Amino acid sequence: MEDFSNLTLDKVTIVMTSMSRWDGEFSSASWSLAKTFAHSQKVIYVDYPFTLLDYFKERKKPSVAARKTALIWGKGSLKTLTQYSPLLYALTPPLMLPINWLPPGAMYDFFSNWNDKRLANSINRAVKELKEENFIFFNSFNPLYLTKLPNGFKPRAFVYQSRDNIRALEPYLRKHGAGKEIEAVKNADLSLVTSRMLQKDLESLSGKNVAYFPNAADFDLFRTAYDSQVEIPEDIKTIPKPIIGYTGNICHRLDYDLIESICKANPDKSIVMVGPRNHQGHTSIDLDKIPNLFFTGPKKIEELPHYLAHFQILILPFLCNEVTKSIYPLKINEYLASGKPIVATPFSEDIQSFHPLISLEKTPANFNEAIEIELNSDSVQKAKSRYVEASKNTWKGRVKLFWELLVG
């Protein structure tokens, strides 16, 4: 680990890359952390790279079209995001070669190194444009790029963070990402994980120490659902109450049989799901035919407290499997900050640590019973206890922890 004793830490630029983009459909831990770092220092948030194939498929999307000159010509790649902070920048790297179809081996390694050099050169140009000399490279769960640093790419420190069990995810990421993540842990000056299960797994697989660095919440944002009178969003004004709410990606992690059961067992209630719908191929249930199930589509993180404030109870109906047992969900502290009662499945060691502030039930019958109990027994004191717990898990606190772990 490099000696930071002669360096003013809040003057060091953070370069962060992840598998999300700053203007993506749903909030991510890396983006939230980047915004928090930018309260006190320059942050370059690197978009997850588009490949040539990605660009061809998505070129007509407004978000992709807006990046065209940066993607193709490398012009205007660095953008100041003053709406968040005058110290926060988004970097659009140039197009990369689509190589995930290649089998592991020398050819994949050759083109992966080519992509890494291309990405690293883009970052070096951005750092130079900002007239910075010192930067920390923070790979926040992007195991397909820069898991080892090419020549000429010289951050003061290399930090890698894992947020999911790659070995249990879909083949696209698992194919090359599983091995490259171990490479990243071995090469990094500091490795972080968001769950206790991941910590055990990666330490065993890499032989390196890995620090526990759980997710958190933008407490100042989400507390407004608890202590402010916020307007009800237009798209849920006419939905009958009480409302059982969920916010987040509607994807492979959810238990759709359980969701269907919740809808059927609670005909007097509405179930509202806020987030992008990516459930295709993960359930055969026709969710659109369930009369008391409603979808709002994706919302910006700044809008979410308005929904939480007008839900009566919140749910985390995740599957209990190899994928979810390594998850510390981003939304748990957002939920808690709203003060609302919460029912979840006991999918991970991390979510179980919030009991008894939240109810944990696995079977549909017990889950639905818990919904009734939580609704009927809720109180001002219980709401405050949840709110106080969320106040202990903030991104500001995580930034403080980051520096403690890095400096030692």
Side-chain angles (χ1 to χ4, degrees):
M1 181 73 69
E2 176 155 352
D3 181 10
F4 282 91
S5 59
N6 64 344
L7 192 64
T8 305
L9 296 180
D10 63 1
K11 300 301 181 184
V12 182
T13 296
I14 304 286
V15 175
M16 181 178 286
T17 184
S18 75
M19 294 194 75
S20 59
R21 301 182 179 107
W22 72 271
D23 55 353
E25 288 188 326
F26 51 91
S27 62
S28 72
S30 55
W31 174 233
S32 295
L33 193 54
K35 289 188 291 183
T36 308
F37 274 121
H39 291 171
S40 59
Q41 61 208 116
K42 289 180 182 177
V43 176
I44 300 173
Y45 188 83
V46 184
D47 270 351
Y48 183 60
F50 288 88
T51 67
L52 287 163
L53 186 59
D54 295 331
Y55 180 74
F56 179 76
K57 289 180 177 179
E58 303 177 34
R59 65 191 184 280
K60 293 183 179 179
K61 290 184 178 180
S63 60
V64 179
R67 290 172 163 89
K68 181 178 179 179
T69 56
L71 291 169
I72 297 177
W73 306 109
K75 295 181 179 179
S77 300
L78 193 64
K79 177 180 180 179
T80 310
L81 302 177
T82 52
Q83 65 269 43
Y84 300 105
S85 166
L87 300 176
L88 182 58
Y89 301 81
L91 174 64
T92 300
L95 293 172
M96 301 289 156
L97 294 175
I99 61 172
N100 205 64
W101 59 274
L102 290 169
M107 185 173 290
Y108 175 84
D109 292 342
F110 176 84
F111 287 112
S112 177
N113 291 338
W114 189 91
N115 278 344
D116 281 350
K117 289 177 183 177
R118 189 166 168 83
L119 179 56
N121 288 339
S122 175
I123 293 171
N124 280 337
R125 286 193 294 271
V127 172
K128 186 177 180 180
E129 185 176 333
L130 295 181
K131 296 180 173 59
E132 294 298 318
E133 294 182 0
N134 298 301
F135 71 96
I136 290 169
F137 178 59
F138 190 163
N139 184 329
S140 183
F141 197 60
N142 183 350
L144 299 181
Y145 292 92
L146 293 175
T147 53
K148 62 178 178 181
L149 306 187
N151 293 333
F153 187 64
K154 298 179 179 180
R156 293 295 297 267
F158 171 26
V159 179
Y160 180 77
Q161 179 185 29
S162 179
R163 285 191 271 110
D164 263 317
N165 180 5
I166 294 178
R167 289 152 294 285
L169 292 177
E170 68 275 6
Y172 175 84
L173 186 57
R174 185 173 67 237
K175 181 178 179 181
H176 296 292
K180 288 181 73 65
E181 178 166 80
I182 302 305
E183 179 179 67
V185 173
K186 289 180 177 180
N187 288 328
D189 297 300
L190 171 65
S191 294
L192 309 170
V193 289
T194 54
S195 82
R196 292 296 186 187
M197 183 60 69
L198 275 178
Q199 185 180 35
K200 296 170 189 173
D201 286 349
L202 287 184
E203 286 188 338
S204 174
L205 291 166
S206 69
K208 295 279 294 285
N209 290 329
V210 178
Y212 182 55
F213 189 77
N215 285 326
D218 184 342
F219 182 69
D220 289 339
L221 172 64
F222 283 90
R223 68 185 298 175
T224 59
Y226 173 82
D227 59 14
S228 302
Q229 294 294 319
V230 295
E231 291 185 10
I232 185 169
E234 286 292 329
D235 54 357
I236 64 168
K237 273 186 176 180
T238 59
I239 294 177
K241 292 185 178 181
I243 295 177
I244 300 170
Y246 168 85
T247 64
N249 197 5
I250 302 162
C251 61
H252 61 286
R253 297 173 176 175
L254 297 185
D255 186 337
Y256 293 99
D257 291 329
L258 176 57
I259 292 169
E260 182 181 45
S261 169
I262 294 168
C263 295
K264 288 181 177 179
N266 295 276
D268 58 326
K269 303 177 186 68
S270 300
I271 294 79
V272 176
M273 306 191 78
V274 181
R277 297 180 65 173
N278 295 306
H279 54 80
Q280 295 79 9
H282 300 295
T283 180
S284 59
I285 299 169
D286 189 343
L287 301 175
D288 293 307
K289 288 188 176 180
I290 301 176
N292 58 335
L293 179 60
F294 302 87
F295 298 94
T296 69
K299 303 294 176 182
K300 294 296 184 184
I301 189 172
E302 293 80 10
E303 300 175 85
L304 296 182
H306 290 261
Y307 289 88
L308 296 179
H310 296 281
F311 294 159
Q312 280 63 59
I313 189 168
L314 306 171
I315 57 172
L316 269 171
F318 279 17
L319 291 164
C320 296
N321 60 20
E322 287 299 311
V323 173
T324 59
K325 75 177 184 180
S326 297
I327 292 175
Y328 181 120
L330 183 63
K331 62 183 65 60
I332 183 59
N333 289 301
E334 297 172 351
Y335 278 13
L336 288 167
S338 74
K340 298 299 174 70
I342 301 163
V343 182
T345 53
F347 53 85
S348 72
E349 181 180 345
D350 305 274
I351 198 67
Q352 291 167 26
S353 70
F354 289 97
H355 182 74
L357 277 178
I358 68 174
S359 285
L360 295 169
E361 299 294 348
K362 190 172 184 179
T363 68
N366 291 342
F367 200 100
N368 286 308
E369 183 180 3
I371 287 174
E372 284 299 322
I373 292 171
E374 287 287 352
L375 278 173
N376 294 329
S377 66
D378 196 23
S379 66
V380 172
Q381 187 55 46
K382 282 186 175 182
K384 185 176 181 180
S385 296
R386 300 177 195 117
Y387 173 85
V388 169
E389 180 64 22
S391 72
K392 302 173 186 176
N393 296 295
T394 68
W395 288 119
K396 290 179 182 178
R398 297 296 187 260
V399 165
K400 183 174 182 290
L401 175 60
F402 174 86
W403 291 120
E404 291 171 357
L405 292 170
L406 185 61
V407 176

